[in-house]
Amino acid sequence: MPNRRILSIWFPRLAAERHIRRDPNLGEVPFAVVRDVGQAQVLASLSPLAEAAGLYDGQPLRDAHAMCADLLTRLSNPHAEAAFLGVLHRWAGKFSPWVAREEPDALVLDLTGCAHLFGGEDNLARHVEQDCTDLGLSVHLGMADTLGGAWALARFGGGQGGAHHRTGDAIDQEARATRSRAGKRRHWERGGAAPAITLTGIQGRTRIAAPGETYAALAPLPIAALRLEDHSMKQLSRLGLRRVKDLVDQPRAGLARRFGRGLVARMDQALGALPEPVSPAPPPDRFATRISLPDPIGLEEDVMAAIDRLLPRLCDGLRNKGRGARTLRFEAYRADGTMQWMNVTMAKPSHDPDHIRPLLRLKVEDLDAGYGIDMLRLEAVLHEPIHLRTASGHLEAAEDGRARMAGSKPGSLDQLIGRLGTRLGVEAITRVQPADSHIPEKTWVTVAAAWSEPATHWPQRGKRRPLRMWVPEPVMVADMPRLPETFRWRGRIHRVHSTRGPERIAPEWWLDDPGWRSGQRDYWEVITKDGQRLWLFYAHGAAKSSGWFCQGAFA
């Protein structure tokens, strides 16, 4: 069985070079990406010219401007940088199917059994470097038998001495006291602070540890290559343990007792004594298809003919993965370089072309062809799983036919919601569902019809409720629990013919509902002499005063 081989690809200038790729002019001046740390801003990623000016990662922005007045900056965008790393994640899949991200600026590849396809590990590394050069990205590569070893070689394996950002060799312009203190700073091998990662000669730098020689490659590196915590590295430096070799030679029990098991685990992971798997994220399922036309088209029939070719291929891909499209994006590219797109949202996920085509036709009617359309693209931007269903027999098929003729087939409602939603928007199509509350106006909730199932059972409360209900409106009548024979409501005098009630409803004592601060209510069904059936209640008063109110009307 071949030795396990891990490749660590580190992009130390990923955030800065993402902006430089979009605006090449930024690469001609000192440029840096900044991030917020508390109430201050610090440098997070620098261009080569910014590093040549003496700036470094983590430097406060005000100090950077004092050192380099021409510095241009952009604010860090973690979401865009993560998306860019995702693009590189897909690119790295050409070298190995086992690729994992190391946020925020690195990738890890398991190359076991893959290097010979590129002519060996050296050729594969040169291939990666050349691709990164073509993409305008700086890269560090490290290859070893373990993930921790590859990580260490990519960041500390270049042979640099781990110099400080400022040393006594370049302080001629500083004050005498400052020069005196700087002259006393010691190298990291002689008790100084842990080295920082320098980026000199960054492009084309690769360190490969031969199979079985991970320890020999890591032994001369600083202990920072083991991915230890900062406080642990400071304590180890005070004890004179500054290289990986110095740490490995120490008794393990004493290290675990004084610094915790995490330090020993990191050391074992780097040397291969403790397994550290590469856990790649599965690539997202993407469903899209397009068609390029030899001549521009502009007629609705021609566009639908192209859709008839696109839609079956898209639905076949969805069906093979057990998915159904919920939202489709239809893009039409015109001959003049412009593009028009439109979304089609369905009430239920579907991979049936006969169901999706009528919805697309409704959108095609609003398509502006301009000077002609030379390419069409169809993509399922939102899709959901569709579970397998048992095929119907003759009896079930007959029942479905009768339901279709009667217009009560369950799928017909979903198709209706999809058609209405294509015109009005799916958010405008709503339905009500029962809610668990004894308060009359809280016994139902309004939800979007496209994202919910119809209610199959409404609880029987045993009490009559009005067909229409509104916010309680005051009734002009004497403040007494007994309703008189006449009352004034909405500017009219109403005479009582008969009443039914009362039904007492208490507020939800565990909630402070502003509409129920008038205390418990006695509801009455009142029939007036002009035929109206109103729903009135008397509030007994609490935080608000008592009185009569009208809240609804029966059919």
Side-chain angles (χ1 to χ4, degrees):
M1 180 178 180
N3 291 331
R4 184 172 183 245
R5 301 297 287 169
I6 304 297
L7 173 65
S8 177
I9 305 178
W10 178 41
F11 306 97
R13 299 190 182 113
L14 183 68
E17 289 172 340
R18 184 182 70 87
H19 289 277
I20 294 175
R21 282 167 50 86
R22 301 180 63 181
D23 186 1
N25 295 326
L26 296 176
E28 301 175 0
V29 296
F31 171 71
V33 175
V34 300
R35 68 174 184 270
D36 296 327
V37 178
Q39 299 297 325
Q41 288 185 330
V42 299
L43 304 186
S45 181
L46 293 84
S47 67
L49 292 179
E51 292 173 2
L55 307 182
Y56 57 90
D57 186 13
Q59 184 180 19
L61 181 59
R62 59 179 182 275
D63 296 347
H65 278 300
M67 294 178 60
C68 181
D70 298 333
L71 178 67
L72 296 180
T73 61
R74 296 288 188 274
L75 190 62
S76 176
N77 187 343
H79 297 288
E81 293 163 10
F84 186 37
L85 186 63
V87 174
L88 295 175
H89 178 270
R90 294 194 294 271
W91 157 78
K94 65 187 289 187
F95 303 105
S96 171
W98 213 253
V99 184
R101 300 188 194 183
E102 276 194 341
E103 302 289 351
D105 54 6
L107 298 173
V108 177
L109 286 72
D110 191 338
L111 295 178
T112 306
C114 298
H116 70 280
L117 301 175
F118 299 87
E121 295 178 350
D122 293 334
N123 290 336
L124 187 147
R126 282 193 290 270
H127 195 170
V128 174
E129 291 176 354
Q130 185 60 44
D131 282 2
C132 292
T133 302
D134 297 340
L135 293 173
L137 299 176
S138 302
V139 65
H140 276 194
L141 302 180
M143 193 179 304
D145 295 337
T146 63
L147 192 155
W151 187 95
L153 293 175
R155 291 158 177 80
F156 295 91
Q160 73 268 26
H164 294 283
H165 301 304
R166 303 176 66 190
T167 65
D169 300 330
I171 58 172
D172 296 335
Q173 305 300 324
E174 299 189 12
R176 180 179 303 173
T178 304
R179 293 199 300 269
S180 176
R181 289 194 299 271
K184 298 179 181 179
R185 296 170 183 160
R186 291 181 291 179
H187 192 267
W188 67 274
E189 295 179 345
R190 298 187 296 274
I197 303 174
T198 59
L199 303 178
T200 56
I202 195 170
Q203 191 66 37
R205 195 193 67 122
T206 304
R207 181 72 182 272
I208 300 177
E213 298 183 7
T214 301
Y215 172 72
L218 298 184
L221 300 184
I223 57 175
L226 296 178
R227 301 175 291 174
L228 303 179
E229 298 178 353
D230 293 339
H231 67 275
S232 297
M233 290 192 295
K234 292 179 180 178
Q235 295 179 15
L236 291 170
S237 297
R238 295 192 187 101
L239 296 176
L241 304 176
R242 302 180 184 93
R243 293 186 180 275
V244 175
K245 181 179 182 302
D246 301 335
L247 192 61
V248 174
D249 293 340
Q250 300 302 313
R252 297 169 54 85
L255 292 176
R257 183 169 56 253
R258 182 162 184 175
F259 299 99
R261 300 178 60 181
L263 183 144
V264 178
R266 282 300 191 187
M267 186 170 57
D268 291 342
Q269 287 175 347
L271 299 178
L274 185 65
E276 186 177 8
V278 177
S279 302
D285 292 327
R286 299 180 181 274
F287 303 97
T289 182
R290 70 176 185 178
I291 182 172
S292 298
L293 305 170
D295 296 314
I297 62 174
L299 298 178
E300 181 179 342
E301 291 76 10
D302 296 338
V303 175
M304 291 306 302
I307 290 178
D308 290 338
R309 293 191 177 187
L310 292 173
L311 197 55
R313 295 204 304 263
L314 180 67
C315 292
D316 289 342
L318 290 167
R319 188 179 298 105
N320 293 336
K321 290 288 187 177
R323 313 288 292 186
R326 170 74 84 160
T327 301
L328 288 176
R329 179 184 174 97
F330 177 64
E331 301 174 357
Y333 294 84
R334 304 187 184 98
D336 58 356
T338 60
M339 186 267 288
Q340 182 181 354
W341 61 272
M342 50 192 67
N343 286 343
V344 175
T345 302
M346 286 156 284
K348 297 295 179 184
S350 174
H351 49 55
D352 184 6
D354 296 333
H355 180 200
I356 301 175
R357 188 181 186 280
L359 304 181
L360 288 172
R361 188 174 187 88
L362 294 176
K363 286 293 187 179
V364 169
E365 297 175 359
D366 301 330
L367 182 62
D368 182 11
Y371 292 100
I373 299 172
D374 55 10
M375 189 180 77
L376 294 172
R377 184 173 183 269
L378 195 59
E379 179 184 3
V381 295
L382 182 60
H383 46 84
E384 300 176 1
I386 293 182
H387 302 289
L388 296 177
R389 299 177 180 177
T390 305
S392 300
H394 293 287
L395 181 61
E396 291 82 358
E399 293 178 354
D400 290 344
R402 287 192 295 269
R404 189 182 301 109
M405 295 297 293
S408 60
K409 187 178 179 180
S412 59
L413 178 60
D414 297 335
Q415 295 179 8
L416 175 62
I417 295 174
R419 286 176 175 268
L420 294 176
T422 302
R423 287 296 190 186
L424 306 177
V426 291
E427 295 80 6
I429 313 300
T430 61
R431 61 161 56 102
V432 294
Q433 291 186 341
D436 188 11
S437 178
H438 70 281
I439 302 298
E441 59 268 25
K442 295 182 180 181
T443 54
W444 76 89
V445 292
T446 302
V447 296
W451 313 103
S452 61
E453 296 289 341
T456 58
H457 174 70
W458 282 83
Q460 300 295 328
R461 302 184 182 276
K463 301 293 184 180
R464 294 169 58 87
R465 291 291 180 261
L467 180 63
R468 294 184 298 153
M469 195 176 298
W470 50 76
V471 178
E473 300 176 358
V475 175
M476 302 304 175
V477 71
D479 188 0
M480 60 180 62
R482 195 71 179 177
L483 183 67
E485 295 183 357
T486 60
F487 62 91
R488 185 180 182 87
W489 174 63
R490 290 185 177 179
R492 294 179 55 190
I493 300 297
H494 298 269
R495 300 183 181 278
V496 178
H497 177 270
S498 61
T499 61
R500 177 184 295 179
E503 176 190 355
R504 177 160 295 185
I505 299 179
E508 297 171 328
W509 55 267
W510 58 92
L511 298 176
D512 184 17
D513 190 348
W516 281 75
R517 291 177 180 174
S518 56
Q520 61 184 2
R521 303 173 178 177
D522 289 340
Y523 280 88
W524 296 79
E525 180 181 347
V526 178
I527 302 177
T528 63
K529 291 187 176 181
D530 56 359
Q532 297 189 62
R533 301 177 62 187
L534 304 177
W535 204 40
L536 277 63
F537 69 85
Y538 178 77
H540 288 267
K544 293 183 178 180
S545 59
S546 59
W548 283 92
F549 298 86
C550 181
Q551 192 174 356
F554 294 87

